[in-house]
Amino acid sequence: MPRKISLFSIVMLTLSSIIGSGWLFGSGMAAQIAGPAAIISWILGGVIIGVIALNYIELGTMFPTTGGMSQYASFSHGPLLGFVAGWANWISLLTIIPIEAVAAVQYMSSWPWSWANWTRDFISDGSITNQGLVIVFLFMAAFTLLNFWSVKLLTSFTSLIAVFKMAVPILTIGILMLSGFDTSNFSHTAGFMPYGSSTIFTATTAAGIIFSYNAFQTTINMGDEIENPEKNIFWGIVISFGISIIIYTLLQVAFIGSVPTTKLAAEWRGINFQSPFADIALLLNLSWLADILYIEAFVSPFGTGVSFVATTSRALAAMTTTRHLPTFLGRLSQKYQTPRRSMIVNLFLGILMAACFRNWSALSNVISTSTLIAYITGPVTLMTFRKLAPDWQRPFRLKAARILAPTAYLLGCLAIYWAKWPTTIEVFGVIGLGLIFYIIYEVRQPMGHQQMLASLKGARWLAFELLWLTVMSLIGSHQFGGSGWVPYPSDFLFVILGSLGCYFLGIHDGYFGLETQTAWKLNRKSNY
């Protein structure tokens, strides 16, 4: 019987996923967008993803299965919604693998050592060069190979690397606060909020903050591979997520206070560090800290990349259960119980994405938006099962779900809106491309007329939501890329009202279909 993942290992695995390239770049980008107020952005982003995660803990313990986040929506609303949610989630996860490799290579390109001059050509005008792409591909291959043989090898590696990944950010916080920390930076020039309150919300998506917190689903997607999942899924997320919020927020505080005053002549938007924390360390004559940070910039994305190969392969394998992707992708290795074929497919697609998109900041924005599209299906699914199956087993029952579920949904919709036009419509288009695969397989394996109508009805609320967010992005305030027909902050109210209607429509349109039979079997299994 395959070895189960312990609570300690799942906390280390999740932390190894969360503490990735986000801390290396996010603080610098957030400061450029919002100035010192970026501190609030990190707290806000943590609250948004934290509330969403609570909904998924109940679902994860109700339906303990590998790659569960790609299946929950189909359990309550049919295969069409399940496919769209799974596709959006998979796209966001798939993109993380090349992003982590790109992040490592970007820091490598600024290595200060004389023997590393050969790395200088990895970056040109802020993008990875062809030479750098070769190194990116090698990183991605290494990520995959460490997942290829067994869960035991994966958890042993990530438990070791997670300790180092947490130690370096904590060390950085302490050293920067003790060396050159200037409290006047928090009120420099235009004050704590130099570019207005709207930038606080923009930074949560545009600076990669949502992206940085995204990895809580590592725990959810490991499903029944976890030891005592009825307890350890909850505690694994709570512990790892709590630690990461504290670390990320303090990192932003340390960054704001440590930027030399001379660099603020052009205000926060004039700061453009290629390797933010390492560059600050060098400016403060802390070359030893810079050396550690350059090593960390290699190790941290590596650990996250390894973890997300596991998560992404399981998400793709889980999508095959809707019968709208080739089933061979979902087969597990009999010896190692890992979805090897999914890993190989993800590797090649990740290589393609790295070749097409060579900029960390732009990709983090796209990832955040596509992730949130998948996430907002969770609260709707949760409350739909509360209505349709109140007697089903719930090893973890979310208290105050009637408040927390719509709150999570609305926060997710607002965060999508904050991504700004035209990013919103671009991401919606990428999500729409997935429907091509759905239609191809639907034509080959047509469902009954009534089942087809039920599936379309089950997905209409998400179609209305994306349409509403598209309209609001187009006519909303200038601060979020709109035409300004609806000024800030009135645009928030319009987004909330329209999204609330879609939320209740989603709960109303839930139904018991063929996929619900799978859900019922999994729920019986949850009686640990």
Side-chain angles (χ1 to χ4, degrees):
M1 182 176 179
R3 178 181 175 181
K4 294 284 188 175
I5 304 174
S6 66
L7 174 60
F8 176 79
S9 292
I10 201 63
V11 169
M12 292 296 101
L13 177 61
T14 306
L15 277 173
S16 185
S17 300
I18 294 176
I19 309 297
S21 61
W23 86 270
L24 297 170
F25 296 99
S27 294
M29 292 174 59
Q32 279 185 301
I33 295 171
I39 297 169
I40 301 176
S41 300
W42 283 99
I43 297 172
L44 177 61
V47 169
I48 292 172
I49 300 300
V51 174
I52 290 173
L54 288 174
N55 290 264
Y56 279 99
I57 295 175
E58 177 169 325
L59 293 173
T61 54
M62 282 184 71
F63 311 114
T65 181
T66 299
M69 290 191 67
S70 294
Q71 301 182 63
Y72 301 145
S74 67
F75 294 164
S76 60
H77 289 81
L80 177 55
L81 183 68
F83 181 86
V84 173
W87 178 268
N89 190 51
W90 173 65
I91 288 294
S92 67
L93 294 175
L94 175 66
T95 312
I96 289 174
I97 300 171
I99 276 186
E100 295 301 321
V102 166
V105 171
Q106 183 168 329
Y107 258 75
M108 286 177 66
S109 70
S110 62
W111 278 353
W113 309 300
S114 58
W115 58 264
N117 288 334
W118 57 279
T119 66
R120 301 289 193 275
D121 296 329
F122 289 173
I123 295 286
S124 178
D125 297 326
S127 297
I128 299 292
T129 62
N130 290 334
Q131 183 179 346
L133 276 179
V134 174
I135 308 301
V136 169
F137 299 160
L138 291 176
F139 271 117
M140 293 172 62
F143 297 165
T144 302
L145 289 175
L146 278 169
N147 278 273
F148 208 65
W149 285 284
S150 71
V151 168
K152 181 179 180 180
L153 179 61
L154 167 65
T155 54
S156 298
F157 173 80
T158 52
S159 294
L160 177 64
I161 206 172
V163 174
F164 180 76
K165 289 178 65 176
M166 286 186 293
V168 175
I170 292 171
L171 174 66
T172 301
I173 292 168
I175 296 300
L176 291 183
M177 286 187 172
L178 293 173
S179 306
F181 190 84
D182 190 347
T183 56
S184 67
N185 284 1
F186 294 86
S187 57
H188 180 81
T189 311
F192 182 77
M193 200 178 298
Y195 310 118
S197 60
S198 64
T199 57
I200 294 174
F201 305 108
T202 300
T204 59
T205 305
I209 292 175
I210 295 292
F211 158 71
S212 298
Y213 288 124
N214 176 44
F216 80 86
Q217 64 172 292
T218 300
T219 303
I220 301 293
N221 279 327
M222 298 302 284
D224 55 359
E225 297 173 74
I226 298 174
E227 183 181 276
N228 299 322
E230 76 281 9
K231 295 180 180 178
N232 290 348
I233 288 178
F234 172 76
W235 285 113
I237 289 176
V238 169
I239 294 172
S240 57
F241 201 76
I243 293 172
S244 64
I245 289 177
I246 294 172
I247 290 175
Y248 274 129
T249 303
L250 290 178
L251 279 167
Q252 185 67 69
V253 172
F255 181 89
I256 295 293
S258 300
V259 174
T261 306
T262 55
K263 291 291 182 179
L264 295 176
E267 300 185 13
W268 292 99
R269 286 179 177 170
I271 294 178
N272 188 22
F273 293 134
Q274 182 169 312
S275 307
F277 282 103
D279 289 347
I280 288 180
L282 290 174
L283 288 172
L284 296 175
N285 295 318
L286 299 170
S287 57
W288 64 270
L289 178 60
D291 290 345
I292 293 176
L293 287 168
Y294 282 119
I295 296 172
E296 163 72 359
F298 178 88
V299 173
S300 189
F302 200 93
T304 300
V306 169
S307 299
F308 269 92
V309 166
T311 301
T312 307
S313 63
R314 285 160 176 80
L316 179 58
M319 286 174 64
T320 64
T321 61
T322 65
R323 304 181 302 279
H324 292 97
L325 283 178
T327 56
F328 76 87
L329 293 175
R331 295 173 188 166
L332 300 179
S333 165
Q334 291 185 353
K335 182 176 181 180
Y336 298 108
Q337 292 299 300
T338 54
R340 287 184 161 190
R341 293 174 180 176
S342 291
M343 290 181 188
I344 294 173
V345 169
N346 286 335
L347 173 62
F348 283 103
L349 290 176
I351 289 173
L352 178 62
M353 295 187 74
C356 294
F357 305 99
R358 307 187 184 195
N359 185 282
W360 188 93
S361 60
L363 278 174
S364 68
N365 198 1
V366 173
I367 290 174
S368 298
T369 307
S370 56
T371 298
L372 288 164
I373 292 172
Y375 282 173
I376 61 175
T377 64
V380 174
T381 295
L382 172 66
M383 296 310 296
T384 298
F385 274 110
R386 288 284 185 97
K387 182 183 75 171
L388 297 179
D391 298 328
W392 283 23
Q393 296 174 151
R394 289 173 171 80
F396 171 83
R397 187 179 182 90
L398 178 63
K399 296 181 179 179
R402 291 183 180 276
I403 297 174
L404 290 176
T407 298
Y409 181 86
L410 294 176
L411 287 173
C413 291
L414 283 169
I416 294 173
Y417 174 70
W418 299 337
K420 292 189 172 183
W421 179 276
T423 299
T424 45
I425 191 62
E426 290 171 350
V427 174
F428 297 167
V430 172
I431 302 302
L433 287 176
L435 294 177
I436 296 174
F437 293 95
Y438 183 88
I439 293 171
I440 290 174
Y441 273 81
E442 195 56 48
V443 170
R444 294 173 58 184
Q445 303 176 22
M447 63 175 66
H449 178 69
Q450 290 185 338
Q451 292 177 341
M452 172 68 80
L453 290 177
S455 183
L456 289 171
K457 182 180 178 182
R460 67 178 179 177
W461 68 270
L462 183 59
F464 289 152
E465 182 62 70
L466 297 185
L467 178 62
W468 177 244
L469 291 175
T470 299
V471 171
M472 285 305 304
S473 292
L474 181 59
I475 69 173
S477 61
H478 294 301
Q479 287 89 335
F480 299 98
S483 62
W485 291 2
V486 182
Y488 170 82
S490 300
D491 50 347
F492 284 18
L493 179 60
F494 278 80
V495 170
I496 289 172
L497 291 176
S499 297
L500 197 59
C502 294
Y503 168 80
F504 286 114
L505 178 64
I507 296 175
H508 174 271
D509 286 347
Y511 70 97
F512 278 172
L514 295 176
E515 288 71 23
T516 315
Q517 296 178 13
T518 301
W520 183 84
K521 293 177 182 178
L522 289 171
N523 188 247
R524 298 302 96 187
K525 183 181 176 181
S526 70
N527 187 19
Y528 308 105

